[in-house]
Amino acid sequence: MSEKNRDGKRTARERLAVEREKQKSAERRRRALIVGASVVCVLGLAAVIGVLAANAGKKKESGAGPAVAPSGAQGKDSLAIPVGKDGAKSTLTVWEDFRCPACQAFEVAYRPTLHELTDAGKLRTEYHLVRLIDGNLGGSGSLRAANAAACAQDAGRFRDYHDVLYANQPKETDDAFANNDKLIELAGKVKGLDTPAFRACVKNGTHDAWVDKSNQAFRTSGLTGTPTVLLGGKNIYQDQTMTPAKLKQMVEAADRG
């Protein structure tokens, strides 16, 4: 073999070796880029998860503040809103949900009698506000309406606003009360209620945690549904023979002693 041929073959091998080294270097760079990109993706995903977790924590904290009872609330943990004179000989305890159709039906049937007995000083009613429909159907209308009613209690307008909410109750599946603006609009039907203080109370959810506390008390009480209407410890709502007239007779008899 001539020296020229040997040099040619050696040069070819060298070129091939150089090319292979280039390919190996390129492969190493490619793998490094892939690994780097993967690390960036993992870190990015971790960052996103961290932000979401932090936000979720903040959201949870914002809804888990102290339970601020409305003005004049009474009873255990200040969970009852009283209507009527403290000295009344009969006390009606009502657990209700402003989205509950059965609660509205009770109000429509019994409201005139309850108002008559209350105004005569013969009956005192303790209202406990819950949010069962929110849990059953979703939404937040029960909570928002209950908070607004508690805000009305702060303004000394609970009974009137309570009646307005039931008079304008949407269908059970319509979460219209979740809209604070709707609740503020309805406050316009109660003289002196639509004030900056009331609006701020509604929009800030001042009594949200209090409503949740009341709802939890209901769930652990052994009671089964709304409305629950107790007179002398007996659920008169479940009494098939109960009527407004019969309730009036019972309360007036107790008042006479």
Side-chain angles (χ1 to χ4, degrees):
M1 181 180 294
S2 67
E3 188 68 27
K4 184 177 180 180
N5 287 341
R6 280 197 297 269
D7 291 342
K9 287 184 178 181
R10 187 165 50 248
T11 302
R13 283 196 300 268
E14 291 174 352
R15 285 200 301 269
L16 182 59
V18 171
E19 187 63 30
R20 285 176 178 171
E21 187 60 33
K22 287 181 179 179
Q23 290 177 356
K24 288 180 181 180
S25 297
E27 181 66 17
R28 283 195 295 269
R29 285 196 300 271
R30 186 179 70 83
R31 289 179 180 175
L33 288 173
I34 291 174
V35 171
S38 299
V39 170
V40 170
C41 288
V42 170
L43 292 175
L45 180 60
V48 170
I49 293 173
V51 170
L52 291 176
N55 288 341
K58 290 177 182 177
K59 188 177 291 185
K60 186 175 181 180
E61 285 180 9
S62 68
V68 179
S71 176
Q74 299 179 358
K76 184 180 179 181
D77 295 329
S78 298
L79 295 179
I81 294 179
V83 174
K85 295 180 180 179
D86 289 342
K89 293 184 178 180
S90 293
T91 298
L92 198 68
T93 301
V94 180
W95 294 81
E96 62 181 2
D97 184 324
F98 287 111
R99 288 179 70 185
C100 165
C103 297
Q104 183 195 46
F106 172 79
E107 284 294 323
V108 170
Y110 283 82
R111 181 184 299 142
T113 300
L114 296 182
H115 283 193
E116 178 186 348
L117 294 171
T118 299
D119 293 343
K122 300 175 181 179
L123 178 69
R124 180 174 181 272
T125 303
E126 295 181 347
Y127 290 97
H128 295 258
L129 311 182
V130 299
R131 50 177 310 197
L132 300 185
I133 305 300
D134 285 355
N136 294 338
L137 297 180
S140 60
S142 300
L143 172 63
R144 299 264 49 79
N147 172 69
C151 295
Q153 169 67 10
D154 289 337
R157 301 287 191 277
F158 173 80
R159 189 174 86 168
D160 290 344
Y161 188 63
H162 169 276
D163 293 350
V164 165
L165 287 176
Y166 278 117
N168 293 272
Q169 185 189 70
K171 292 182 179 179
E172 186 177 14
T173 54
D174 180 1
D175 197 25
F177 281 167
N179 187 339
N180 286 333
D181 290 338
K182 175 66 175 178
L183 297 170
I184 291 171
E185 176 190 333
L186 291 175
K189 297 179 179 291
V190 178
K191 185 177 180 180
L193 179 57
D194 187 7
T195 64
F198 174 80
R199 289 182 173 225
C201 183
V202 171
K203 292 181 178 180
N204 294 336
T206 299
H207 301 297
D208 281 0
W210 176 83
V211 176
D212 282 335
K213 191 171 184 178
S214 178
N215 191 66
Q216 183 60 29
F218 178 84
R219 291 187 175 280
T220 57
S221 67
L223 302 175
T224 57
T226 53
T228 292
V229 185
L230 305 174
L231 181 65
K234 180 182 178 181
N235 190 351
I236 64 171
Y237 182 74
Q238 294 178 340
D239 183 351
Q240 299 282 332
T241 68
M242 185 59 62
T243 63
K246 184 176 178 179
L247 175 62
K248 182 178 179 179
Q249 289 174 356
M250 293 171 65
V251 171
E252 290 182 335
D255 186 64
R256 290 191 298 268

